[in-house]
Amino acid sequence: MTPVRVVLPATLRSLAGISGEAVIDVDVDGDGEVTTAAVLDALDRCYPVLRWTLREQQSGSRRPFIRFFACQEDLSLELLDAPLPAAVAAGREPLVVIGAIAGG
Amino acid sequence: MSGVRVLVGTRKGAFVLTADGTRDDFSVEGPFFPGWEVYHLNGSPADPDRLWAAPSRGWFGQLVQRSDDGGKSWQPVSNEFAYEGETGTHQHYDGTSKPWSFLRTWHLEPSLDDPDTVWAGVEDAGLFRSSDGGTSWQELPGLRRHETAPSWAPGAGGMCLHTILIDPTDPARMHVAISAAGVLRSGDGGESWSLANRGLRSEFLPVPDADAGHCVHRLAAHRDRPEVLYMQKHWDVMRSDDGGGSWTEVSGDLPTDFGFAIDVHAHEPETVYVVPITSDSEHFPPGGQLRVYRSRSGGNEWQPLTEGLPQRHCYVNVLRDAMAVDLLEPCGVYFGTTGGQLYASPDSGDSWRAICHDLPAVMSVEVQTLP
């Protein structure tokens, strides 16, 4: 486990009672890396009310209007099992979850 | 009976209004779940302080929230609606086959006698039940596995299971309505289902009197006469006297028989309310005049109710779950509009007044009559 910083949209922070960044303990995989899926699993564990708010219920894939940013990069189209940047795994940078601008 | 609690779901949150038995002054609390679309909010007949809410958002999906204190506070419960086994396919808008996929919860129907049991009607059309206060949900898959299900197709609002009627005299007997499959009924608590659409005609179908495929908008029944069902269909107001075995049109002298909401007077089983809407392309009242129509004869002869309702320049809609009645004497009738008005009549529809003017678009209205 390693502590990872996560910035959530205001709606989800309010729902989960989080002020500011969430810092959660995330599983590290066999290669010593942290994946987006592992962060989302840890969020579900720490904040059960967030379950299925970022991933689709049946497929487990990213919900269409959810984006993942880190280290000034858009990681949204990466596989959820792909490793996050080392700076996120080391807790130097947060994983930023964005609700896409939509709706006019 | 000392008062009423009105539960209002809107496009941007939920509101809870309370009043004493005179229904003169309503206090308004909310918005709860601000910013979330609350398709439905409902209360347990077995424990009036047990409330259920179904907020959802396009970004974040579905939540289910429960209150144990009449809406003062809420706690999230399970939002996991997993179809059981093979999901199969239904028709999509373009006629292709689409796998069943959960999108949102449209309707929550609490058990009549157990506060921990509640039914959920969802999109894509499925029926779920929780028997543990919302800790978990189990699908009743017999409905989705009906032999005609692969031919079901969504209405404009999605392929939703929006109406759940439980027979108070025998809770194993249930009716559900799906847009656009029609009515199905069960005699074994939801394990197995049969179609109940005989007598319905829908001109948009290749076979207008087909067994399945009808865009039923809403069902209603009086609690003392559960075998008598009323229906607002896409077009046509219908009635069944045999628990859905057959249907007869009772649109009669309505100015238009398109609409969404329908309900039955609490003490007069033959008194029915609808809100006629111009057409499926013009979702507003004919002539810009908001009128509830009341039949005291179980349909066919309808009387416009206008006192207190806007009779010019009114272009709102009244959605399928946005009308309810209380159990007081005289019966109170309530409905909400897409313009954010919440209207109440304390005299069975003779007169109306807006008890809220400027809510977000109203999606659902339920009323609890409090002891």
Side-chain angles (χ1 to χ4, degrees):
Chain A
M1 291 268 196
T2 188
V4 170
R5 297 160 55 197
V6 182
V7 176
L8 291 167
T11 297
L12 297 187
R13 290 201 305 272
S14 170
L15 182 65
I18 299 168
S19 58
E21 288 183 357
V23 180
I24 52 175
D25 287 329
V26 178
D27 286 328
V28 179
D29 70 15
D31 297 325
E33 295 181 307
V34 168
T35 65
T36 305
V39 175
L40 300 183
D41 290 344
L43 275 172
D44 288 351
R45 232 176 12 247
C46 296
Y47 305 101
V49 69
L50 297 181
R51 189 167 167 81
W52 305 123
T53 59
L54 302 176
R55 288 182 281 190
E56 298 278 13
Q57 295 216 7
Q58 279 162 280
S59 65
S61 59
R62 173 180 58 84
R63 295 184 59 80
F65 290 166
I66 296 297
R67 312 292 292 188
F68 301 123
F69 295 173
C71 304
Q72 289 78 54
E73 287 184 60
D74 183 354
L75 308 176
S76 307
L77 301 181
E78 302 289 331
L79 294 174
L80 293 181
D81 288 334
L84 287 165
V88 174
R92 293 194 304 276
E93 291 285 338
L95 175 68
V96 181
V97 181
I98 300 285
I101 302 298
Chain B
M1 291 179 174
S2 66
V4 294
R5 183 189 291 138
V6 187
L7 310 175
V8 184
T10 79
R11 288 269 182 217
K12 294 294 178 185
F15 297 83
V16 177
L17 293 83
T18 50
D20 66 21
T22 66
R23 294 158 288 182
D24 287 337
D25 295 310
F26 284 83
S27 66
V28 183
E29 292 187 47
F32 302 100
F33 333 116
W36 292 76
E37 287 188 298
V38 182
Y39 270 56
H40 200 213
L41 188 68
N42 210 348
S44 164
D47 175 2
D49 281 341
R50 169 66 59 88
L51 308 184
W52 302 92
S56 65
R57 289 187 86 148
W59 287 264
F60 307 121
Q62 184 70 53
L63 304 177
V64 180
Q65 300 265 354
R66 191 184 89 193
S67 174
D68 294 331
D69 55 13
K72 295 183 182 66
S73 64
W74 295 84
Q75 58 178 324
V77 293
S78 174
N79 61 347
E80 184 162 329
F81 293 91
Y83 296 110
E84 187 179 299
E86 193 74 24
T87 52
T89 62
H90 62 79
Q91 281 199 47
H92 201 30
Y93 292 110
D94 61 3
T96 59
S97 293
K98 175 182 178 290
W100 239 265
S101 163
F102 173 78
L103 185 64
R104 65 168 59 88
T105 301
W106 278 69
H107 186 91
L108 294 165
E109 189 67 32
S111 157
L112 299 170
D113 54 12
D114 177 10
D116 284 335
T117 295
V118 58
W119 302 77
V122 310
E123 178 187 354
D124 286 334
L127 182 66
F128 288 76
R129 178 179 58 206
S130 174
S131 302
D132 53 13
T135 303
S136 64
W137 296 92
Q138 290 79 41
E139 190 194 13
L140 282 298
L143 179 73
R144 186 174 44 80
R145 292 176 184 156
H146 190 273
E147 60 185 3
T148 62
S151 72
W152 300 353
M159 202 175 81
C160 52
L161 194 163
H162 52 72
T163 302
I164 303 169
L165 294 182
I166 302 171
D167 184 337
T169 64
D170 178 3
R173 292 173 52 188
M174 307 174 67
H175 292 81
V176 300
I178 296 169
S179 295
V183 180
L184 293 100
R185 58 180 174 177
S186 171
D188 57 11
E191 297 296 327
S192 63
W193 295 85
S194 58
L195 292 167
N197 297 315
R198 188 172 300 133
L200 303 185
R201 279 188 67 82
S202 299
E203 300 302 330
F204 63 81
L205 292 173
V207 180
D209 58 355
D211 289 339
H214 300 277
C215 193
V216 175
H217 283 181
R218 185 73 178 155
L219 301 177
H222 190 276
R223 63 191 187 285
D224 294 339
R225 298 235 320 252
E227 75 283 3
V228 179
L229 301 175
Y230 296 97
M231 171 195 296
Q232 174 67 67
K233 195 160 65 64
H234 192 85
W235 294 98
D236 303 333
V237 177
M238 308 293 294
R239 170 186 177 125
S240 172
D241 288 302
D242 55 5
S246 60
W247 295 90
T248 305
E249 184 172 1
V250 292
S251 307
D253 55 7
L254 286 170
T256 160
D257 56 19
F258 187 89
F260 292 93
I262 188 166
D263 215 334
V264 183
H265 190 287
H267 313 301
E268 301 170 11
E270 292 288 299
T271 297
V272 189
Y273 301 89
V274 294
V275 183
I277 297 297
T278 305
S279 71
D280 46 7
S281 61
E282 298 177 13
H283 281 189
F284 47 74
Q289 299 174 304
L290 182 56
R291 296 179 168 193
V292 176
Y293 277 71
R294 178 176 62 195
S295 173
R296 293 194 184 279
S297 55
N300 286 319
E301 296 83 33
W302 297 89
Q303 167 195 13
L305 308 173
T306 62
E307 188 180 329
L309 298 176
Q311 295 305 296
R312 57 198 296 250
H313 308 316
C314 182
Y315 293 92
V316 298
N317 194 3
V318 179
L319 299 179
R320 70 188 82 223
D321 231 346
M323 178 181 265
V325 298
D326 69 29
L327 303 178
L328 297 177
E329 185 64 60
C331 173
V333 189
Y334 307 77
F335 70 94
T337 77
T338 55
Q341 297 82 36
L342 180 65
Y343 290 101
S345 170
D347 51 16
S348 303
D350 291 340
S351 65
W352 300 84
R353 82 185 164 89
I355 55 177
C356 280
H357 292 269
D358 300 303
L359 297 177
V362 174
M363 311 197 63
S364 69
V365 176
E366 296 285 353
V367 186
Q368 295 178 288
T369 306
L370 302 176

